[in-house]
């Protein structure tokens, strides 16, 4: 009996080890695992994938952006779309969804005409891990850590990176805080943190037409403004696109992602990336708060088996946004690029 069961158990262990790399983070990426997988993707698909180092975190980890496009080494006059993940350390699924988008585009480029059109006609930028120091701390320190690892003095650590962007930063204390001990501490100044500066500098060098910043969890799609309940100019378009994305997500697994203006649908915040991006260039900019598959036990702790279904349900929403960026794009030409660079005093 024993002899018969033992190999079965061994086989099961081997299979699960192969499917889910071991370690406390399981199938979720650590900083080093993500770095390795991003460069592996570039190695496999050098014509359409390029990894860029866009700056250093506070603890000197590299901040990476992955570009997916044809002629990937050239900046072509094509619409650019930005997907961001993991401003908040404990929201592990928010690393996986944008990374898997890059992987999906690379792996399906050769065979899928829709993917080929996206990759040929747009430039998709993916920063799956805005907060590597915080992520590592959730793996090796405290699983529910949210902020980066700034030493604020007095025994307090961390700035909430999604309260550190420079539009209406600290306009009030609704959803952000000047208290260094707070979970939503906004930092000592706008863009005080190297992680938000890296996102800012990438954004200003490019001509992004749309942006999604992934978080978890609430199963909701949010758009500017976050700092006020007043609707922005263009609110109808923001809402229309959110509705399209929500419908496409729901069509996959039946899960309804509610949508609305941040301040109305969830809570008021200030200094988040979508308000800043929208203020800079008026583009559709969304926070997608991903689902916990199981609300009772899920929360921040999605199972590793949930990674693929959550990616798969968000894929058509991301595809819609890219498609829309392509259809709505008005090429601005080199002269406008030069003007933009002069305006922002960048090289
Ligand atoms: Zn978050």
């Amino acid at each position: 009996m024993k002899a018969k069961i033992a190999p079965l158990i061994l086989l099961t262990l081997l299979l699960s080890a192969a499917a889910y790399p071991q370690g406390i983070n399981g199938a979720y990426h650590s900083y080093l695992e993500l770095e390795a997988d991003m460069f592996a993707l570039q190695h496999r698909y050098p014509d359409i994938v390029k990894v860029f180092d866009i700056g250093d975190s506070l603890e000197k980890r590299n901040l990476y952006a992955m570009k997916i496009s044809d002629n990937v080494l050239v900046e072509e006059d094509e619409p650019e779309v930005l997907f961001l993940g993991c401003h908040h350390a404990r929201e592990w699924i928010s690393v996986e969804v944008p990374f898997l988008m890059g992987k999906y585009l690379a792996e399906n480029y050769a065979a899928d005409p829709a993917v080929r059109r996206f990759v040929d006609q747009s430039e998709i930028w993916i920063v799956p891990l805005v907060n590597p120091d915080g992520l590592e701390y959730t793996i090796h320190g405290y699983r529910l850590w949210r902020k980066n690892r700034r030493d604020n003095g007095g025994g307090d650590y961390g700035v909430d990176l999604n309260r550190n962007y420079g539009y209406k930063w600290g306009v009030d204390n609704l959803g952000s805080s000047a208290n260094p001990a707070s979970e939503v501490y906004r930092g000592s100044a706008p863009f005080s943190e190297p992680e938000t500066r890296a996102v800012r500098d990438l954004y200003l060098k490019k001509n992004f037409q749309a942006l999604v910043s992934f978080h978890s969890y609430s199963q909701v799609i949010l758009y500017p403004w976050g700092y006020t309940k007043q609707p922005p100019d263009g609110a109808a378009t923001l809402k229309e696109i959110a509705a399209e994305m929500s419908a496409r997500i729901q069509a996959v697994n039946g899960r309804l992602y509610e949508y609305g203006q941040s301040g109305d649908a969830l809570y008021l915040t200030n200094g988040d990336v979508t308000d800043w991006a929208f203020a800079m260039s008026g583009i559709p900019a969304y926070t997608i708060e991903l689902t916990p598959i199981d609300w009772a036990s899920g929360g921040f702790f999605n199972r590793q088996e949930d990674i693929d279904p959550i990616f798969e349900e968000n894929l058509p929403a991301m595809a819609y946004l890219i498609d829309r960026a392509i259809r709505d794009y008005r090429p601005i030409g080199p002269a406008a690029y030069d003007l933009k660079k002069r305006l922002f005093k960048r090289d």
Side-chain angles (χ1 to χ4, degrees):
M1 213 45 179
K2 232 181 185 175
K4 266 191 163 176
I5 291 171
L8 265 182
I9 293 172
L10 184 63
L11 181 64
T12 309
L13 284 173
L14 284 171
L15 283 175
S16 64
Y20 302 115
Q22 297 305 291
I24 188 177
N25 52 311
Y28 290 88
H29 282 92
S30 67
Y31 164 72
L32 286 177
E33 289 163 351
L34 182 70
E35 177 183 61
D37 279 356
M38 290 173 85
F39 280 102
L41 206 62
Q42 172 181 278
H43 186 73
R44 277 167 65 202
Y45 303 99
D47 295 338
I48 53 170
V49 177
K50 173 75 180 159
V51 178
F52 292 87
D53 180 345
I54 60 167
D56 286 352
S57 71
L58 209 54
E59 295 177 349
K60 301 297 174 205
R61 292 183 179 88
N62 293 326
L63 301 168
Y64 290 117
M66 186 164 69
K67 179 186 177 188
I68 319 281
S69 192
D70 67 328
N71 305 316
V72 71
L73 299 177
V74 181
E75 173 143 338
E76 298 180 293
D77 194 356
E78 295 175 343
E80 292 164 308
V81 178
L82 178 60
F83 297 112
L84 301 165
C86 205
H87 278 79
H88 293 144
R90 64 195 173 199
E91 299 169 10
W92 290 3
I93 187 66
S94 75
V95 178
E96 305 304 323
V97 168
F99 172 72
L100 285 173
M101 185 59 177
K103 189 163 178 276
Y104 176 86
L105 293 169
E107 291 178 345
N108 290 284
Y109 178 71
D112 184 332
V115 170
R116 179 174 286 268
R117 174 171 162 266
F118 292 162
V119 174
D120 284 350
Q121 297 188 23
S122 72
E123 298 184 349
I124 297 139
W125 287 81
I126 295 169
V127 183
L129 180 51
V130 174
N131 183 7
D133 301 349
L135 178 73
E136 288 302 297
Y137 192 68
T138 63
I139 296 172
H140 301 291
Y142 173 50
R143 174 66 182 86
L144 282 176
W145 190 254
R146 170 182 167 95
K147 302 184 283 182
N148 75 353
R149 291 297 296 162
R150 165 76 68 188
D151 182 351
N152 299 323
D156 295 322
Y157 284 84
V159 170
D160 184 339
L161 295 179
N162 209 33
R163 304 292 183 274
N164 190 238
Y165 288 84
Y167 184 71
K168 301 290 182 186
W169 176 89
V171 67
D172 58 32
N173 292 318
L174 300 174
S176 84
S177 171
N179 174 4
S182 167
E183 281 282 77
V184 290
Y185 175 49
R186 57 187 170 243
S188 57
F191 295 113
S192 61
E193 304 311 295
E195 295 88 357
T196 54
R197 287 200 297 272
V199 174
R200 175 195 66 188
D201 293 351
L202 173 68
Y203 190 91
L204 294 181
K205 280 179 193 158
K206 302 294 161 191
N207 180 30
F208 289 111
Q209 303 293 299
L211 173 160
V212 176
S213 175
F214 286 99
H215 288 254
S216 78
Y217 62 103
S218 285
Q219 202 171 301
V220 65
I221 302 171
L222 305 170
Y223 50 81
W225 302 118
Y227 82 92
T228 176
K229 293 194 173 193
Q230 293 297 313
D233 290 345
T237 303
L238 291 171
K239 185 176 182 180
E240 179 219 326
I241 294 173
E244 295 282 353
M245 290 197 292
S246 174
R248 281 163 175 74
I249 291 171
Q250 193 175 14
V252 177
N253 292 322
R255 271 187 283 277
L256 173 63
Y257 284 50
E258 304 274 3
Y259 56 89
Q261 184 174 334
S262 284
D264 278 341
L266 202 57
Y267 43 67
L268 288 167
T269 60
N270 52 65
D272 97 326
V273 67
T274 59
D275 272 13
W276 177 76
F278 188 78
M280 290 304 297
S281 44
I283 62 166
Y286 296 94
T287 294
I288 296 186
E289 293 271 3
L290 296 161
T291 183
I293 290 279
D294 173 2
W295 281 83
S297 63
F300 298 112
F301 301 105
N302 278 304
R303 298 170 308 162
Q304 50 195 1
E305 295 89 334
D306 299 336
I307 294 173
D308 285 341
I310 294 175
F311 164 66
E312 282 156 14
E313 71 186 10
N314 279 275
L315 169 59
M318 290 185 274
Y320 175 79
L321 207 56
I322 297 168
D323 174 62
R324 178 113 188 188
I326 291 171
R327 283 189 286 122
D328 292 351
Y329 188 52
R330 309 255 183 291
I332 60 172
Y337 269 112
D338 289 346
L339 176 65
K340 191 171 143 81
K341 281 173 186 165
R342 278 206 302 279
L343 283 173
F344 295 123
K345 295 189 172 61
R346 291 189 188 272
D347 51 10

